[in-house]
Amino acid sequence: GNSVTQMEGPVTLSEEAFLTINCTYTATGYPSLFWYVQYPGEGLQLLLKATKADDKGSNKGFEATYRKETTSFHLEKGSVQVSDSAVYFCALDTGRRALTFGSGTRLQVQP
Amino acid sequence: DTAVSQTPKYLVTQMGNDKSIKCEQNLGHDTMYWYKQDSKKFLKIMFSYNNKELIINETVPNRFSPKSPDKAHLNLHINSLELGDSAVYFCASSQPTGTGWTEAFFGQGTRLTVV
């Protein structure tokens, strides 16, 4: 079956630090890959996506590259802000029209 | 305007009760979903409807029954509530595209607490 594995959190960083949140996946076929973000008390919002191998998704300074050879989709940001504090979810869709999520990684950015 | 709205936002109820959560989307999407988020933040698909037709039904107790009166609404009814049903339930919607992927839009969630 399909699955997504994310690094355990929480990840605690100082403002302007570099962020990496690891994500690897197992899937049949060729999934599309996503990062969703959940701010406190809110629903999930799509942060970025990549639909085929070597695609790079980017948004709000965040980036992730679809690596088929390592089955990975790591999230990166060069300089985090306090407002980036949230829970980040890696997810995939194999065309089944339902997302398979990782367990989420909480990011805490301190001023 | 809220794209995907759920009511209520919070629900506290006793074991054994029956409760419903309502969801409406004004995005014109054909597909709607219910996801369950447990206390460890793990999200899992429960149900998916496309144009009022059930297309995904994961291993969910039959105490949970989704109902879609029209494609803009997907309600979740839960019978005989148990302590383990305590979670945050998210409604979502999406519109299939020719690219094979779909962006899901989520509601704010309903925090259900069974006491």
Side-chain angles (χ1 to χ4, degrees):
Chain A
N2 300 331
S3 67
V4 177
T5 303
Q6 288 181 238
M7 60 189 291
E8 291 277 337
V11 174
T12 303
L13 296 173
S14 298
E15 210 164 18
E16 299 183 4
F18 185 86
L19 169 71
T20 299
I21 300 178
N22 289 339
C23 170
T24 57
Y25 67 90
T26 303
T28 53
Y30 301 96
S32 297
L33 301 174
F34 307 86
W35 278 100
Y36 277 81
V37 58
Q38 183 180 26
Y39 297 103
E42 297 185 12
L44 282 76
Q45 304 171 26
L46 179 64
L47 180 60
L48 54 84
K49 68 182 188 297
T51 58
K52 60 183 188 298
D54 300 326
D55 269 3
K56 178 186 282 188
S58 61
N59 186 26
K60 299 182 181 179
F62 291 89
E63 292 183 340
T65 301
Y66 189 143
R67 301 284 187 202
K68 187 163 176 275
E69 62 276 13
T70 54
T71 61
S72 65
F73 193 54
H74 305 320
L75 182 68
E76 296 182 335
K77 186 174 185 182
S79 176
V80 293
Q81 305 299 314
V82 172
S83 57
D84 293 326
S85 298
V87 181
Y88 292 82
F89 292 90
C90 187
L92 65 83
D93 175 11
T94 55
R96 186 173 166 246
R97 289 199 232 154
L99 293 162
T100 299
F101 285 93
S103 55
T105 303
R106 181 179 299 279
L107 170 66
Q108 298 173 338
V109 180
Q110 297 175 337
Chain B
D1 283 346
T2 304
V4 182
S5 59
Q6 298 178 226
T7 54
K9 191 170 181 180
Y10 300 97
L11 183 54
V12 181
T13 188
Q14 291 187 327
M15 283 176 55
N17 284 351
D18 303 338
K19 290 293 178 186
S20 292
I21 307 172
K22 296 186 176 181
C23 178
E24 176 181 5
Q25 55 97 0
N26 62 7
L27 298 167
H29 289 168
D30 288 337
T31 308
M32 295 185 72
Y33 313 80
W34 279 109
Y35 286 86
K36 179 180 179 181
Q37 185 176 43
D38 64 23
S39 58
K40 295 184 178 179
K41 295 289 189 183
F42 190 67
L43 269 160
K44 190 170 182 183
I45 183 75
M46 299 175 69
F47 301 103
S48 171
Y49 270 73
N50 188 65
N51 268 323
K52 304 194 299 175
E53 183 180 339
L54 181 66
I55 57 172
I56 294 175
N57 183 351
E58 291 295 287
T59 308
V60 176
N62 58 16
R63 299 181 294 104
F64 289 79
S65 53
K67 286 191 171 43
S68 182
D70 55 62
K71 76 172 194 177
H73 295 83
L74 180 61
N75 304 322
L76 183 66
H77 189 75
I78 316 169
N79 289 328
S80 304
L81 278 154
E82 300 177 357
L83 292 177
D85 298 332
S86 296
V88 180
Y89 292 84
F90 285 100
C91 179
S93 73
S94 69
Q95 184 63 23
T97 68
T99 60
W101 67 273
T102 54
E103 176 181 352
F105 291 80
F106 284 79
Q108 289 200 319
T110 296
R111 182 176 295 277
L112 171 65
T113 304
V114 182
V115 298

